[in-house]
Amino acid sequence: QFEVVESGGGLVQPGGSHRLSCAGSGTSGKILKYYPVGWFRQAPGKEREGLACITGVSGSRTYADSVKGRFTISTDNGNNTVHLQMNKLTPEDTAVYYCALVNSKFVRCDLSGARYHYWGQGTQVTVSS
């Protein structure tokens, strides 16, 4: 059994920063740093958007153009957690944010979402003054 759980959502002022966390848990013993993990979001009335992902041991990262230079994905190995640091937030960043994991150590991450097996329940981020 395995699941990923997001945390850290909340209300943020425009121009501010915020960090989301994605923790892996369960009896399977999966260690996030060995698997592709991605962050996605979905705003009301919009399709799900892939934001950032990190590929297993290589640590290679991919970012969507909409967040490149503002968001950073990183792995906290000690806590089996993947973070999404978000800077220079705007109201357009308001959405439910999800993390997801690909159940294979041998593939690269991508932002399409199609190959991810485990999804969290999401955490709301609202950017507003």
Side-chain angles (χ1 to χ4, degrees):
Q1 180 182 358
F2 179 77
E3 62 179 0
V4 290
V5 180
E6 306 93 343
S7 62
L11 177 64
V12 189
Q13 293 214 342
S17 297
H18 205 67
R19 190 178 77 166
L20 302 179
S21 299
C22 172
S25 65
T27 57
S28 70
K30 289 188 193 301
I31 305 299
L32 293 191
K33 71 176 182 178
Y34 295 128
Y35 294 84
V37 175
W39 280 97
F40 301 81
R41 70 184 178 190
Q42 188 162 21
K46 295 187 177 181
E47 293 187 354
R48 184 180 65 200
E49 177 186 14
L51 304 174
C53 67
I54 186 165
T55 295
V57 177
S58 74
S60 65
R61 296 164 173 83
T62 301
Y63 294 95
D65 288 343
S66 60
V67 304
K68 197 172 295 182
R70 297 191 301 127
F71 290 12
T72 302
I73 189 170
S74 63
T75 301
D76 180 347
N77 297 332
N79 293 311
N80 201 25
T81 300
V82 173
H83 299 297
L84 183 69
Q85 177 66 41
M86 306 182 293
N87 300 326
K88 300 179 182 178
L89 288 164
T90 74
E92 287 68 37
D93 294 313
T94 295
V96 178
Y97 285 70
Y98 301 89
C99 71
L101 179 142
V102 179
N103 193 26
S104 171
K105 299 179 182 178
F106 307 107
V107 299
R108 292 177 60 88
C109 74
D110 65 60
L111 299 181
S112 72
R115 61 173 62 183
Y116 288 80
H117 301 92
Y118 296 98
W119 290 82
Q121 293 299 307
T123 186
Q124 175 72 44
V125 174
T126 301
V127 184
S128 174
S129 56

